[in-house]
Amino acid sequence: MASSRGTKEMAFRQRRTQAPKPISCSSSFSYEDISSDGSDSENDDDISCLVCGSGDYPADLLLCDKCDKGFHLFCLRPILASVPKGSWFCPTCTNNKKLKSFPLVQTKIVDFFRIQRSQESIPKAIQDIRKKRKRSGLVMAKKKRKLLAFTPSPDPTRRLEQMASLATALTATGTEFSNELTYRPGMAPRSANQPALERGGMQILSKEDSETLNLCKTMMERGEWPPLMVAFDPQEGFTVAADRYIKDLTIITEYVGDVDYLKNREDDDGDSMMTLLSAANPSKSLVICPDKRSNIARFINGINNHTLEGKKKQNLKCVRFNVNGECRVLLIANRDISKGERLYYDYNGDEHEYPTEHFV
């Protein structure tokens, strides 16, 4: 079992930790500075973090199960949300593990994502939605702006590369692909997902926007995916970047995974849980757990919303909607996004209940 000095703290967020205010970490530190046998130049009986050199905050010191050296959860890159339940090995003891790219073979990718072929013309479906909205004339100008369907990359080979990048990340994390909320035995049932229970109420996705969301789902089932590329960064872990220009208000993806009661996940060490239903009665609150089944949303990172620089990174918004009587979470572009720009959104939203000081 991975060990920690002190009491483990609860965490319900992706790549964030309940750690205290940032402590001064050596900017020149590199995991490569640690010798291959895990030894350090200092011989101290007290456990300290090999990144910042401090033994403070023992509750957040994680010990490697191989070399027994210590690391603060918030000094690791990417940050760990909480102490893992199973064995944990530091970067040096796992540096022999190489990320294997998913083979760029169409049949394998089609099988991995269970892509279906249909006779419906997706481009025509997009045009039909746009024409329908134009016919509404001046009335539409008085309503809120409508959500847009993503525009897939026109090159089929490039789309295969995008899907292969996601398949690589899912395979590396041992995650099964899913593009829907899933309800598993022993977790929250579908009947528990009731928007009416939301504290303060939940906004309803309009009929037109629901049609756009369904169109996005249909396009993905056909293999026409949003133009996104997943890559591994040594500082941030898996990241997602736009592979072509994306317009403001474009639906990027839905946040999906297994649905469970929040009360069942108080001691969970998952690093990607997302609020689905924040009920007036806490026992009925729900979270999305994407550690077993998920899509690209799991790999989109959060921002450090405690700094102006962090806020400038934000190009997506996370919005919970009532969609046909069911709570759903959408990630939507909140401004135009340039090709090559990494995607970030603020996990806090209007709640401001999660510390993000340690986000990279």
Side-chain angles (χ1 to χ4, degrees):
M1 294 287 288
S3 52
S4 172
R5 303 179 67 198
T7 305
K8 176 180 173 182
E9 296 174 292
M10 298 187 300
F12 307 112
R13 54 241 172 234
Q14 178 169 334
R15 298 191 182 95
R16 50 170 84 124
T17 175
Q18 290 275 18
K21 295 293 183 181
I23 58 180
S24 176
C25 296
S26 173
S27 59
S28 61
F29 176 85
S30 169
Y31 289 118
E32 296 176 355
D33 295 337
I34 309 173
S35 62
S36 60
D37 62 357
S39 62
D40 187 32
S41 58
E42 296 184 7
N43 185 12
D44 196 336
D45 291 338
D46 294 331
I47 300 296
S48 60
C49 175
L50 262 66
V51 178
C52 66
S54 169
D56 295 339
Y57 315 118
D60 297 295
L61 268 174
L62 180 61
L63 304 184
C64 175
D65 283 290
K66 182 176 181 181
C67 68
D68 235 13
K69 297 299 180 181
F71 296 81
H72 282 120
L73 299 176
F74 49 87
C75 286
L76 291 165
R77 293 295 182 268
I79 289 171
L80 287 184
S82 58
V83 177
K85 289 184 178 179
S87 298
W88 178 83
F89 301 98
C90 70
T92 297
C93 293
T94 57
N95 62 7
N96 59 336
K97 296 182 179 180
K98 295 184 178 180
L99 191 65
K100 295 183 179 179
S101 297
F102 194 84
L104 192 62
V105 180
Q106 183 173 5
T107 53
K108 289 183 177 293
I109 292 174
V110 167
D111 182 62
F112 187 91
F113 292 110
R114 301 183 293 278
I115 294 173
Q116 303 173 1
R117 300 296 180 184
S118 69
Q119 299 302 315
E120 180 185 1
S121 172
I122 294 300
K124 183 178 183 301
I126 295 177
Q127 292 175 7
D128 288 345
I129 286 181
R130 290 174 178 170
K131 288 180 180 179
K132 181 178 180 181
R133 291 179 176 176
K134 285 182 179 180
R135 283 197 295 268
S136 61
L138 296 176
V139 177
M140 181 178 173
K142 298 180 181 180
K143 297 180 180 179
K144 68 175 184 177
R145 294 186 297 168
K146 306 301 181 182
L147 300 182
L148 303 176
F150 59 78
T151 303
S153 297
D155 182 4
T157 301
R158 190 60 177 173
R159 293 204 299 269
L160 287 179
E161 293 173 356
Q162 294 163 358
M163 288 186 281
S165 72
L166 174 56
T168 298
L170 291 170
T171 302
T173 54
T175 308
E176 177 186 339
F177 172 73
S178 173
N179 211 26
E180 305 288 344
L181 292 177
T182 46
Y183 301 87
R184 315 294 295 184
M187 298 186 185
R190 184 183 293 272
S191 59
N193 188 352
Q194 299 182 35
L197 299 176
E198 173 70 17
R199 183 176 60 238
M202 181 178 292
Q203 60 181 312
I204 299 175
L205 193 67
S206 69
K207 180 181 179 181
E208 289 177 307
D209 287 345
S210 293
E211 291 175 352
T212 301
L213 176 60
N214 291 335
L215 174 60
C216 290
K217 295 277 189 176
T218 302
M219 284 194 288
M220 294 187 69
E221 290 173 358
R222 288 170 50 94
E224 297 175 358
W225 283 40
L228 306 173
M229 192 71 77
V230 185
F232 186 82
D233 181 276
Q235 290 292 310
E236 299 187 36
F238 284 108
T239 62
V240 180
D243 204 34
R244 67 176 301 180
Y245 170 76
I246 298 175
K247 292 182 179 180
D248 183 19
L249 289 179
T250 295
I251 297 177
I252 301 299
T253 186
E254 179 180 350
Y255 207 100
V256 301
D258 294 334
V259 178
D260 202 1
Y261 289 108
L262 176 60
K263 62 184 180 181
N264 293 344
R265 298 285 174 158
E266 291 182 348
D267 296 319
D268 196 292
D269 60 358
D271 65 351
S272 305
M273 281 188 285
M274 170 64 66
T275 300
L276 176 63
L277 172 62
S278 183
N281 180 349
S283 67
K284 296 185 178 180
S285 292
L286 302 176
V287 289
I288 302 172
C289 309
D291 54 322
K292 303 297 183 184
R293 280 156 286 275
S294 187
N295 60 10
I296 201 168
R298 179 182 179 182
F299 305 109
I300 298 177
N301 292 344
I303 59 166
N304 182 340
N305 54 16
H306 292 266
T307 66
L308 289 176
E309 185 62 29
K311 293 178 180 178
K312 288 179 181 178
K313 288 183 178 180
Q314 183 178 0
N315 46 26
L316 302 183
K317 58 182 177 181
C318 178
V319 189
R320 291 182 291 139
F321 285 105
N322 175 345
V323 183
N324 299 322
E326 182 180 54
C327 300
R328 307 271 284 275
V329 181
L330 303 184
L331 298 184
I332 302 166
N334 68 350
R335 61 173 171 79
D336 291 347
I337 304 173
S338 303
K339 179 179 179 180
E341 190 176 343
R342 286 187 180 178
L343 305 186
Y344 296 94
Y345 66 100
D346 184 353
Y347 290 118
N348 277 312
D350 296 325
E351 299 165 351
H352 301 290
E353 61 185 31
Y354 298 129
T356 59
E357 298 97 316
H358 299 286
F359 275 27
V360 177

